[in-house]
Amino acid sequence: MAHYAFLDQNNIVTEVIVGIHETETIEGLDTETWYGNFRDQVCKRTSYNHKIRKQFAGIGYRYDTNADVFIRPQPYLSWTLDNNFDWQAPTPYPQDNKMYLWDEENLVWQESLN
């Protein structure tokens, strides 16, 4: 069993399905090609264990064709994408044992009361 992400014309994931193992072929085609042709959408394999394409794709994720990775949606407007394709807050997460939530209005981490 393998997982496959379908992309729209902007390389945004619209659906993720469970399909046959990626080493198998269907009608002589590799699985990404066959599923893509069947649905008339670009299809890319994704992996729960993050061994391919950086991370498991979810609906709304973007596929970067140059880097061959899936990128999570931007969590806040102030966050930027780093060279490892991870979103980073303008200030680093505090390094203590407390829980924090991002306050976009003030651009700071606020201690969680829970």
Side-chain angles (χ1 to χ4, degrees):
M1 240 180 356
H3 295 86
Y4 298 89
F6 290 97
L7 311 176
D8 69 10
Q9 65 278 7
N10 297 312
N11 287 332
I12 304 299
V13 176
T14 59
E15 185 177 3
V16 179
I17 65 163
V18 177
I20 67 170
H21 197 274
E22 67 275 3
T23 59
E24 298 179 42
T25 60
I26 306 170
E27 299 172 352
L29 298 173
D30 68 86
T31 51
E32 284 183 356
T33 302
W34 192 89
Y35 285 124
N37 290 346
F38 182 76
R39 295 280 297 273
D40 196 27
Q41 279 183 280
V42 173
C43 176
K44 296 291 179 182
R45 190 165 70 90
T46 187
S47 169
Y48 269 121
N49 60 17
H50 309 274
K51 289 191 176 184
I52 63 165
R53 300 193 169 111
K54 176 136 174 81
Q55 56 205 351
F56 187 76
I59 294 173
Y61 281 46
R62 181 171 53 90
Y63 175 69
D64 185 300
T65 57
N66 294 324
D68 192 30
V69 298
F70 288 107
I71 301 170
R72 288 181 174 91
Q74 185 176 13
Y76 299 96
L77 288 176
S78 66
W79 290 33
T80 57
L81 200 61
D82 68 14
N83 291 334
N84 199 35
F85 303 98
D86 293 314
W87 292 105
Q88 299 298 325
T91 56
Y93 190 86
Q95 297 300 308
D96 56 26
N97 291 328
K98 298 176 184 176
M99 298 281 291
Y100 294 88
L101 298 173
W102 180 249
D103 177 351
E104 180 69 3
E105 185 177 326
N106 297 303
L107 302 178
V108 296
W109 291 102
Q110 293 286 341
E111 186 175 350
S112 174
L113 302 177
N114 294 333

